[in-house]
C-alpha cells in the first residue's frame, strides 16, 4: 500500500503527535505527583509509536526508515498490558512493582525471535521492506520469524489484547462490587473514563476476528489503527478538560493539591475559587474516609497516622479539622467511636458486653475514657443509654 500522506495517514500523524505530547506530560506528572499513572503514560507513548509505524507502512514511507524495520511490534507489545497494569495500580492503590515485568515476556520472546532481522544492516532491511511494502497484509504477517509460522506474532498480539481486555473487565467489575456504597462523583468520573477507554480498546482486537467471516484484512488494518488514533486523540482531550482523571481514585490527593495550588496562586480571587471552598470539600472527604476505613477503631491512632495514610499534608489536615469541622482530631475520633458504640448497642449483638469490652471494641484504651466521651457527646452514660434501649 503506497498511498503517501493521504487523509488517513495525516490523521494518524496528528494522533501520534498528540499522543506523544500527552504521554510525556502524563509521565512528568506521574513522577512528580502520582506514580500510579506511569502505566497510563506508557500507554500513550507506546500506542503512539505503534500507530506511527502503521502510518509508515500504510503510506509506504517505511522505505525511508529501514533502520527501524520490525521495531514497531515492540511498542505494540509494550502497549498490550499497560491499560491493565494501570487499572490494577489504581483499583488496588499500588505503585509499579518488579513482578509487573512478567507482562513483557511476549515482547522479550518477539525480540529474541526477530533478533537476526533487527540486527540486519539498513540495506538488507530495505530489501525486505521493498518485498512487502505494497501489501500491508504480507507486511504484517511477520514472515521472517525463526521459531513461529507466518502470522503468528500478529495473531498472538491480537489475542493478548483480547485477554488483557477481559482481565480489565474483571478488574472493573470486582472493583465496583467491593465498594459497598454509592459512588461519589470522583469515582463515577473515573469509571466513565475507563469504560470509554475500554470501548475503544475493544475495537483494537474485534475486527481481527471478523476476517474469518467477511471483513477484508486490508480494511481491518486501517480500522484497527484508525481506532487507535481516535483513542489517543479523544483520551488526550478528556485528560485536558478533566485533569482530575490523572489522580485515578485518589480524591484526597487531588483536593489537597488543589488547595496548595490555590494558596499560592495570585489568580485565585479572579477565578472565584477560594481555598476555603476546597477546605470544606476536604473536610467532607476526611469524614467519608474515616467512615469507610473505620480508623477510629484503632487504639492510639494519631493525626500523624492519618496524615501518613492519606498523604494529606499535616498542616492542611489540622487546619481543616480545627477550623472547618470545628473540632480537634481527638474529639473527632472519639465522636466516631461513640457513634459506633451506639450502633453496636442498637443492634443488640453487644448488649451483653461489659463496658470494658465495649470500649475496647470501639477503639478506646480504657473504660473511663469511654464513659467520659460517651457522656460528652450524648449527655448520658453508656449504662443509661443501654437501659433506654431495653425499654
Amino acid at each position: 500500500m503506497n498511498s503517501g500522506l493521504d487523509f488517513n495517514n495525516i490523521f494518524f500523524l496528528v494522533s501520534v503527535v498528540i499522543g506523544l505530547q500527552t504521554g510525556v506530560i502524563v509521565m512528568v506528572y506521574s513522577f512528580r505527583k502520582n506514580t500510579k499513572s506511569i502505566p497510563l503514560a506508557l500507554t500513550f507513548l507506546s500506542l503512539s509509536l505503534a500507530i506511527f509505524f502503521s502510518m509508515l507502512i500504510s503510506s509506504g514511507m517505511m522505505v525511508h526508515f529501514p533502520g527501524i524495520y520490525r521495531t514497531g511490534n515492540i511498542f505494540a507489545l509494550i502497549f498490550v498490558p499497560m491499560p491493565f497494569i494501570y487499572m490494577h495500580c489504581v483499583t488496588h492503590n499500588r505503585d509499579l512493582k518488579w513482578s509487573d515485568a512478567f507482562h513483557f515476556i511476549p515482547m522479550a520472546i518477539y525480540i529474541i525471535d526477530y533478533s537476526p532481522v533487527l540486527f540486519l544492516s539498513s540495506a538488507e532491511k530495505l530489501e525486505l521492506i521493498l518485498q512487502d511494502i505494497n501489501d500491508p497484509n504480507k507486511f504484517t504477517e511477520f514472515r521472517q520469524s525463526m521459531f513461529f509460522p507466518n502470522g503468528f506474532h500478529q495473531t498472538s498480539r491480537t489475542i493478548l489484547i483480547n485477554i488483557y481486555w477481559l482481565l480489565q473487565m474483571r478488574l472493573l467489575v470486582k472493583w465496583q462490587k467491593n465498594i459497598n456504597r454509592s459512588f461519589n462523583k470522583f469515582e463515577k468520573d473515573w469509571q466513565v473514563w475507563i469504560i470509554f477507554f475500554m470501548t475503544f480498546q475493544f475495537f483494537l482486537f474485534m475486527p481481527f476476528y471478523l476476517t474469518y467471516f467477511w471483513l477484508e484484512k486490508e480494511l481491518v488494518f486501517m480500522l484497527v489503527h484508525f481506532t487507535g488514533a481516535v483513542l489517543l486523540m479523544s483520551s488526550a482531550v478528556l485528560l485536558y478538560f478533566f485533569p482530575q482523571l490523572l489522580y485515578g481514585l485518589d480524591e484526597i490527593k487531588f483536593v489537597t493539591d488543589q488547595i496548595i495550588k490555590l494558596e499560592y496562586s495570585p489568580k485565585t480571587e479572579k477565578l472565584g475559587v477560594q481555598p476555603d471552598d476546597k477546605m470544606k470539600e476536604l473536610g467532607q472527604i476526611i469524614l467519608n474516609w474515616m467512615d469507610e476505613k473505620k480508623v477510629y477503631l484503632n487504639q492510639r491512632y494519631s493525626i500523624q497516622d492519618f496524615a501518613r495514610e492519606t498523604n494529606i499534608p499535616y498542616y492542611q489536615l489540622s487546619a481543616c479539622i480545627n477550623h472547618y469541622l470545628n473540632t480537634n482530631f481527638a474529639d473527632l475520633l472519639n465522636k466516631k467511636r461513640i457513634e459506633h458504640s451506639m450502633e453496636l448497642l442498637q443492634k443488640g449483638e453487644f448488649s451483653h458486653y461489659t463496658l470494658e469490652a465495649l470500649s475496647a471494641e470501639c477503639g478506646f484504651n480504657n473504660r473511663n475514657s469511654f464513659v467520659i466521651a460517651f457522656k460528652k457527646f450524648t449527655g448520658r452514660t453508656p449504662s443509661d443509654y443501654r437501659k433506654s434501649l431495653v425499654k
Side-chain angles (χ1 to χ4, degrees):
M1 181 185 296
N2 195 346
S3 56
L5 284 179
D6 58 12
F7 172 79
N8 289 334
N9 291 314
I10 291 174
F11 183 75
F12 288 164
L13 184 59
V14 171
S15 71
V16 168
V17 173
I18 293 175
L20 289 175
Q21 288 179 337
T22 304
V24 170
I25 292 172
V26 175
M27 184 65 75
V28 172
Y29 157 81
S30 300
F31 279 108
R32 289 182 177 179
K33 294 184 178 295
N34 183 15
T35 54
K36 298 178 186 65
S37 292
I38 291 177
L40 181 61
L42 291 175
T43 296
F44 274 96
L45 294 173
S46 57
L47 182 58
S48 298
L49 291 171
I51 292 176
F52 174 71
F53 278 88
S54 71
M55 183 211 71
L56 293 180
I57 295 171
S58 63
S59 65
M61 294 178 64
M62 180 62 79
V63 295
H64 302 297
F65 305 94
I68 58 176
Y69 178 62
R70 290 307 186 202
T71 57
N73 199 46
I74 296 175
F75 298 107
L77 290 172
I78 292 174
F79 164 76
V80 169
M82 277 302 155
F84 168 78
I85 297 174
Y86 165 69
M87 283 187 64
H88 200 276
C89 287
V90 171
T91 57
H92 288 71
N93 193 30
R94 71 169 180 88
D95 293 323
L96 286 173
K97 49 189 180 182
W98 284 109
S99 59
D100 291 323
F102 286 105
H103 294 284
F104 299 108
I105 290 177
M107 182 190 70
I109 292 174
Y110 171 78
I111 292 175
I112 293 171
D113 183 35
Y114 259 76
S115 57
V117 176
L118 294 174
F119 288 103
L120 289 175
S121 66
S122 294
E124 291 171 316
K125 288 180 179 179
L126 180 58
E127 185 177 344
L128 293 174
I129 292 172
L130 291 173
Q131 292 176 8
D132 299 332
I133 193 62
N134 291 318
D135 188 344
N137 295 328
K138 288 184 178 180
F139 203 99
T140 55
E141 280 183 354
F142 296 92
R143 295 183 298 157
Q144 300 87 18
S145 172
M146 282 198 301
F147 308 119
F148 305 105
N150 294 346
F152 170 81
H153 287 292
Q154 181 188 33
T155 302
S156 61
R157 184 184 66 205
T158 303
I159 293 173
L160 280 174
I161 296 175
N162 193 165
I163 292 172
Y164 275 107
W165 187 86
L166 292 173
L167 291 174
Q168 288 172 239
M169 184 64 73
R170 180 173 175 269
L171 269 181
L172 184 62
V173 172
K174 188 176 181 181
W175 168 70
Q176 291 174 156
K177 287 183 177 180
N178 287 341
I179 298 183
N180 298 318
R181 54 174 172 75
S182 58
F183 292 145
N184 59 40
K185 186 179 184 304
F186 205 82
E187 292 164 337
K188 285 181 180 178
D189 289 345
W190 186 81
Q191 180 192 38
V192 170
W193 142 254
I194 284 299
I195 292 175
F196 170 86
F197 192 94
M198 290 181 62
T199 300
F200 278 97
Q201 270 187 282
F202 177 80
F203 291 101
L204 291 179
F205 63 84
M206 182 49 62
F208 175 80
Y209 297 117
L210 297 180
T211 59
Y212 291 99
F213 300 98
W214 58 272
L215 208 58
E216 294 182 1
K217 290 185 177 181
E218 184 173 332
L219 180 59
V220 169
F221 177 86
M222 295 302 298
L223 181 60
V224 167
H225 293 97
F226 189 83
T227 299
V230 173
L231 174 59
L232 279 176
M233 296 181 70
S234 56
S235 297
V237 170
L238 283 174
L239 290 177
Y240 177 80
F241 285 104
F242 303 98
Q244 67 269 23
L245 294 172
L246 290 174
Y247 288 80
L249 298 172
D250 196 350
E251 185 178 13
I252 293 177
K253 176 65 174 173
F254 172 70
V255 173
T256 54
D257 281 351
Q258 291 297 302
I259 292 172
I260 294 173
K261 183 178 179 180
L262 289 171
E263 286 176 343
Y264 293 98
S265 175
K267 299 181 180 179
T268 293
E269 295 183 3
K270 295 181 181 178
L271 293 173
V273 181
Q274 299 297 327
D276 287 358
D277 299 331
K278 287 295 180 181
M279 276 295 206
K280 291 175 183 177
E281 186 178 346
L282 178 61
Q284 188 58 52
I285 292 174
I286 290 172
L287 295 176
N288 293 340
W289 199 88
M290 277 191 164
D291 290 336
E292 183 177 344
K293 304 295 183 181
K294 298 187 183 300
V295 294
Y296 47 81
L297 298 182
N298 299 332
Q299 295 183 2
R300 298 183 178 86
Y301 193 79
S302 68
I303 190 171
Q304 288 80 9
D305 296 325
F306 194 95
R308 183 176 61 254
E309 292 178 7
T310 60
N311 291 319
I312 300 176
Y314 175 84
Y315 78 92
Q316 283 187 9
L317 181 60
S318 179
C320 183
I321 293 174
N322 293 336
H323 300 295
Y324 297 93
L325 298 181
N326 297 315
T327 185
N328 58 60
F329 189 75
D331 280 350
L332 182 60
L333 278 185
N334 286 339
K335 184 179 181 182
K336 291 291 183 182
R337 288 165 176 164
I338 296 304
E339 290 173 352
H340 183 70
S341 69
M342 294 174 70
E343 290 178 5
L344 296 181
L345 290 172
Q346 289 169 7
K347 291 179 180 178
E349 300 175 7
F350 295 83
S351 58
H352 63 285
Y353 270 40
T354 63
L355 291 183
E356 287 81 0
L358 185 60
S359 64
E361 184 73 25
C362 298
F364 287 97
N365 292 323
N366 55 67
R367 175 182 180 277
N368 289 338
S369 60
F370 172 53
V371 173
I372 292 172
F374 200 101
K375 192 168 184 179
K376 176 179 180 180
F377 293 109
T378 67
R380 62 174 82 176
T381 65
S383 299
D384 290 339
Y385 181 73
R386 179 183 283 175
K387 290 177 183 179
S388 68
L389 295 175
V390 175
K391 296 178 182 179

